[in-house]
Amino acid sequence: MQEQDDLITRAQAWLAEDPDPQTAAELAALIEAGDTAELADRFSGTLQFGTAGLRGEIGAGPMRMNRSVVIRAAAGLAAYLKAQGHDGGLVVVGYDARYKSLDFARDTAAVMTGAGLRAAVLPRPLPTPVLAYAIRHLGAVAGVEVTASHNPPRDNGYKVYLGDGSQIVSPADAEIAGHIARVGALASVPRPADGWLQLDEEVLEAYLARTDAVLTPGSPRGVRTVYTAMHGVGKEVVMAAFARAGFPAPVLVAEQAEPDPAFPTVAFPNPEEPGAMDLAFAKAAEVQPDIVIANDPDADRCAVAVPDDGGWRMLRGDEVGALLAAHLVRKGARGTFAESIVSSSLLGRIAEAAGLPYEETLTGFKWISRVQGLRYGYEEALGYCVDPEGVRDKDGVTAALLVAELASELKEQGRTLTDLLDDLALAHGLHATDQLSVRVSDLSVIASAMAALRAQPPASLAGLRVTSAEDLSVGSAALPPTDGLRYYLDGDYKARVIVRPSGTEPKLKCYLEVVVPVPEASELTSCRARGQEILDAIKKDLAAAAGI
């Protein structure tokens, strides 16, 4: 009874401070109904600020995304920036079209202004890469993007960048979290009603002018494209970028073209999720384009699909990553090629053959973007950084332009993206990748699976002996510690498995790769079948070993 009374008291204290009538009414109804189970869930702790910033379900209470949580996060960030000597510095704020995004952006601008910093808010909901670009373009000391990327409609998030245009990493995340924890009552956080700058179209125009830099002057621009914005904010910017570059206007998937925070046509607004591309493929069947391109809702990811036996096939992120790498090599790119450890090792082979430096990083563009001398970076989750001097983050707009340029060049030669993938397989071996991804409602399932694998690593997978079982939480000379496991398997196929909890979703993710030698082009089909056979067997054995 004492615990229940304490829970109600904490909920009432939160309610007294809540600046949002909507979440205040929601919380008041829960208190009135005596719904202690729901209250206990919302008050079981506090959303933790980390290298992904904040992300969670919208609602009242410290374990949800709401204006109270955002105001505290903004106050902690402001205190951190001032402690770093940035008093009076500029903070740029961007936002997507999700529920509450504009409210969270305005609250952030108000808190920064009240703390003695300067704030500038992007003119309307725009792609995350526009915010990442604006930070360096405007000489800001930090940037905030309000987005939950491709999460379900009920979620929102808060992504923080520092003045170099890259997302925060340790120890900045822990230091900001410490400042957030020291924020007192919300009433003690100054939030003036105005005083920040509302940016105009100049910043978007500057970003669009920069997108041209990824293309070779005079290169072919004839590819025909179907495009979906997945109910997000990409359409206007992508269409403008394609028009400036001289490509034919992409045919839009009308049902998904305009921003809609309810994401009514998809279960999950992520091109990788089953069914998410169905409308795009239906439009492609109707108009017969050369390629299909999709962005996720904040347009920092880019998905590509190609014709396949009368239908359409989504290319894996690793395939697009290799295609873009090969294209950049052919264009004479110099500098370091980088990827995260969960991405295909094919990038390293492409870089080696071209005589270019290559690096592996931990998962996430917060790490990839910090590679010295970076020229190109990608991650298998459809993220590509093709212009690091412009945007030090993944950018689904410039990636789409570069894919369109490559497809246009190949089209002029009577070839396709699939043909280039075949070339890469012949030159470097068929790098077959797959993923075992388990979405959970109870996070303890993930912890139990990781614990089981640590306690008893598999001795073999798919009949291949595990020759190396590496616990990435220990860290190494090459990589900082991270919660993950990496296995290398014996045999001719250079098989590799990485297991890790997702940093942004309630998922356990297992990344698999096998490299199948391809003696000649006539054996490509059988090599692909062999690669998939091994991957399927690894998935089955790994699921059993992890108890999932």
Side-chain angles (χ1 to χ4, degrees):
M1 189 63 182
Q2 177 62 41
E3 284 185 12
Q4 184 173 321
D5 290 344
D6 179 56
L7 180 61
I8 297 295
T9 299
R10 284 189 287 134
Q12 289 171 333
W14 186 275
L15 176 61
E17 285 196 321
D18 196 332
D20 186 334
Q22 188 174 357
T23 51
E26 175 189 304
L27 184 55
L30 291 174
I31 295 171
E32 177 69 23
D35 190 342
T36 53
E38 181 64 20
L39 289 172
D41 182 50
R42 291 166 182 250
F43 287 83
S44 60
T46 303
L47 277 185
Q48 292 302 299
F49 187 93
T51 52
L54 294 168
R55 195 174 292 188
E57 185 177 347
I58 296 170
M63 285 297 289
R64 299 287 188 270
M65 281 295 296
N66 52 64
R67 290 183 61 196
S68 298
V69 165
V70 165
I71 289 166
R72 290 179 181 279
L77 174 59
Y80 167 81
L81 293 172
K82 292 173 75 172
Q84 296 294 309
H86 296 309
D87 203 356
L90 177 66
V91 178
V92 189
V93 184
Y95 58 101
D96 66 10
R98 284 178 177 268
Y99 296 119
K100 302 286 183 185
S101 285
L102 177 57
D103 292 339
F104 295 166
R106 285 175 173 162
D107 280 331
T108 299
V111 170
M112 296 301 161
T113 304
L117 293 151
R118 293 176 296 125
V121 182
L122 292 185
R124 60 183 177 281
L126 287 168
T128 293
V130 177
L131 180 277
Y133 169 81
I135 294 166
R136 290 198 294 170
H137 175 65
L138 297 172
V141 298
V144 171
E145 176 71 14
V146 180
T147 182
S149 190
H150 55 272
N151 276 39
R154 64 179 181 270
D155 289 357
N156 212 329
Y158 198 80
K159 185 183 292 189
V160 176
Y161 297 75
L162 294 182
D164 62 356
S166 297
Q167 298 175 49
I168 56 168
V169 294
S170 181
D173 57 341
E175 292 173 13
I176 294 169
H179 284 288
I180 294 171
R182 292 191 286 276
V183 175
L186 282 193
S188 70
V189 179
R191 285 183 292 131
D194 53 33
W196 56 88
L197 177 64
Q198 187 71 39
L199 293 167
D200 58 20
E201 297 301 303
E202 186 279 332
V203 68
L204 178 57
E205 279 301 310
Y207 169 80
L208 284 169
R210 178 76 202 186
T211 62
D212 297 344
V214 306
L215 303 175
T216 301
S219 63
R221 309 283 164 96
V223 73
R224 295 178 303 111
T225 305
V226 161
Y227 171 75
T228 176
M230 205 68 69
H231 298 296
V233 297
K235 181 198 80 171
E236 181 182 328
V237 179
V238 167
M239 295 298 280
F242 269 60
R244 289 176 66 104
F247 289 105
V251 176
L252 296 174
V253 179
E255 302 93 327
Q256 299 175 332
E258 300 304 325
D260 188 337
F263 302 106
T265 69
V266 289
F268 291 95
N270 179 353
E272 293 180 295
E273 293 284 347
M277 294 292 288
D278 286 356
L279 288 172
F281 292 161
K283 177 58 72 174
E286 176 189 330
V287 303
Q288 294 297 307
D290 300 304
I291 56 173
V292 174
I293 289 178
N295 287 139
D296 66 339
D298 69 326
D300 63 352
R301 289 174 169 84
C302 176
V304 181
V306 295
D308 182 58
D309 289 334
W312 288 84
R313 178 176 80 86
M314 270 276 290
L315 296 181
R316 293 189 175 277
D318 284 320
E319 292 177 305
V320 178
L323 287 169
L324 290 176
H327 186 44
L328 288 168
V329 165
R330 198 198 63 76
K331 284 159 66 85
R334 308 307 299 171
T336 301
F337 280 27
E339 64 181 340
S340 66
I341 57 174
V342 299
S343 304
S344 171
S345 59
L346 177 55
L347 182 67
R349 291 179 171 85
I350 293 171
E352 181 182 17
L356 296 175
Y358 164 78
E359 280 197 34
E360 275 190 326
T361 74
L362 292 185
T363 310
F365 270 82
K366 57 184 174 284
W367 299 109
I368 295 172
S369 68
R370 285 183 160 76
V371 168
Q372 288 295 110
L374 180 68
R375 176 58 186 88
Y376 169 63
Y378 98 91
E379 190 157 69
E380 55 75 43
L382 309 182
Y384 314 95
C385 176
V386 301
D387 178 26
E389 292 305 307
V391 175
R392 285 193 179 278
D393 199 4
K394 54 187 177 290
D395 183 345
V397 180
T398 49
L401 285 174
L402 207 57
V403 167
E405 180 184 56
L406 171 58
S408 296
E409 290 186 357
L410 291 167
K411 183 178 180 179
E412 281 206 349
Q413 302 163 16
R415 307 180 74 234
T416 65
L417 296 177
T418 305
D419 293 330
L420 181 52
L421 286 172
D422 288 349
D423 292 348
L424 292 172
L426 282 164
H428 305 291
L430 175 69
H431 287 63
T433 61
D434 205 345
Q435 192 178 125
L436 172 62
S437 182
V438 181
R439 186 180 293 272
V440 301
S441 55
D442 180 1
L443 290 176
S444 69
V445 173
I446 295 176
S448 297
M450 294 296 290
L453 290 171
R454 283 191 167 102
Q456 192 168 354
S460 67
L461 295 168
L464 303 171
R465 184 170 60 88
V466 175
T467 58
S468 170
E470 185 181 359
D471 189 343
L472 300 176
S473 67
V474 178
S476 68
L479 296 170
T482 188
D483 187 8
L485 301 164
R486 178 162 57 182
Y487 307 117
Y488 289 102
L489 311 185
D490 197 13
D492 297 331
Y493 297 111
K494 300 183 177 67
R496 183 205 68 191
V497 175
I498 294 175
V499 184
R500 60 179 285 272
S502 169
T504 56
E505 298 178 89
K507 283 182 175 181
L508 181 68
K509 303 182 87 169
C510 310
Y511 306 84
L512 324 175
E513 180 179 52
V514 298
V515 183
V516 183
V518 184
E520 55 187 57
S522 62
E523 296 187 40
L524 271 166
T525 299
S526 61
C527 288
R528 285 199 172 91
R530 178 56 178 155
Q532 193 57 54
E533 178 186 327
I534 298 169
L535 290 171
D536 289 344
I538 291 175
K539 274 201 280 191
K540 181 180 178 182
D541 290 352
L542 186 62
I548 54 176

